[in-house]
Amino acid sequence: MSYRKLEEYDLQVTQEVKNRYKTIIEELGEDTTREGLLKTPERAAKAMQFLTQGYDMDAAEILKGAMFAEDYNEMVIVKDIELYSLCEHHILPFFGKAHIAYIPNGHIVGLSKLPRVVDVFARRLQVQERLTHDILECINNTLKPKGVAVVIEASHMCMMMRGVQKQNSVTTTSGFRGAFESMETRNEFLKLISSDLS
Ligand SMILES: [Zn+2]
C-alpha cells in the first residue's frame, strides 16, 4: 500500500462526549436503544471531534513551513475556498466561501496553505466575524506581506433552519490590511473575486 490515511481520535474524549450525547438524545425524547441510534452517540462524538480539530493546529506553523523567498510584487488571489464552520451560539453549521489575497513582500507562500489556514480557524466554534479576523491576522503576522485581504461569504444554518428562517440570506464579512486599505487596491481585489474567471 503506497498511501493510507489514518484517522486518530482521543479515545477518552470520544468516550466522554459519546456518553453526554446519549443523555442529550434521550432528553430530547428519543430511544437510544433502537437500531438506527445505537452507534449515533459515538458517531456524533467523532464528528464533533473532527469539526473542532482546529484547536490542536497551529496555522502560523503551517504557513512558515511553506514560505519561499521570491521577488514577486503583484497581487496573489486564491478565491472560492470552501469553508465549513460551526456557529458558536447554536453549534449549527455555517458554510460558504473565503477569498484571500496578499501582496508579497519578499516571500510567497505555497498556495495550498491558504485553504489550510482557513480550515484551522473554521474547524472550531466560531463567529464569521472572528473567523475573518483570525485568517487575516495570521497571514499578516506570519507572512508579513505588503497587504492582505480576506472576504468571507457564508450561509448560517441557525438563521435558515430556525429563528428568522431566512433561506437565502448570505452574510459577507471582510478585512483589509496594508496596501488593501487603499481604495484602489481594494477595488481591484473585489473586482477580481466577483468576476467569473472560470
Ligand atoms: Zn448561530
Side-chain angles (χ1 to χ4, degrees), residues 8-179:
E8 261 187 80
Y9 293 90
D10 181 318
L11 295 179
Q12 196 186 341
V13 174
T14 306
Q15 191 59 41
E16 298 207 355
V17 177
K18 171 186 156 182
N19 291 341
R20 284 164 177 77
Y21 262 122
K22 190 166 179 291
T23 308
I24 290 167
I25 294 166
E26 286 164 356
E27 289 291 337
L28 293 173
E30 260 291 1
D31 170 11
T32 50
T33 64
R34 71 179 176 84
E35 199 190 1
L37 289 182
L38 272 180
K39 288 193 166 176
T40 298
E42 183 175 338
R43 282 193 218 98
K46 286 182 171 173
M48 287 306 291
Q49 282 171 278
F50 179 87
L51 295 173
T52 58
Q53 64 182 278
Y55 291 122
D56 299 321
M57 294 176 169
D58 187 334
E61 285 305 313
I62 290 171
L63 287 181
K64 282 180 198 159
M67 279 171 56
F68 310 100
E70 192 66 58
D71 231 358
Y72 182 81
N73 291 311
E74 304 298 325
M75 194 184 295
V76 178
I77 302 180
V78 180
K79 67 175 202 170
D80 296 334
I81 301 168
E82 272 182 75
L83 83 88
Y84 297 92
S85 189
L86 291 170
C87 134
E88 70 181 15
H89 301 136
H90 302 96
I91 319 186
L92 286 171
F94 68 92
F95 58 95
K97 287 173 176 175
H99 314 288
I100 299 175
Y102 72 96
I103 299 172
N105 187 18
H107 286 88
I108 57 167
V109 67
L111 292 177
S112 68
K113 303 304 171 191
L114 296 175
R116 286 195 61 202
V117 168
V118 172
D119 278 346
V120 168
F121 292 114
R123 285 179 178 158
R124 53 181 81 185
L125 302 183
Q126 270 288 10
V127 294
Q128 187 177 330
E129 294 86 341
R130 192 171 67 240
L131 175 60
T132 307
H133 185 260
D134 285 346
I135 297 166
L136 186 78
E137 291 303 330
C138 176
I139 297 169
N140 198 43
N141 296 336
T142 310
L143 194 58
K144 303 194 192 317
K146 286 182 184 151
V148 55
V150 176
V151 170
I152 293 179
E153 304 168 289
S155 301
H156 293 248
M157 292 309 266
C158 59
M159 279 179 76
M160 296 165 79
M161 294 177 72
R162 56 168 292 290
V164 289
Q165 295 188 9
K166 293 294 180 220
Q167 311 292 332
N168 298 310
S169 68
V170 173
T171 304
T172 303
T173 47
S174 59
F176 304 96
R177 288 284 180 277

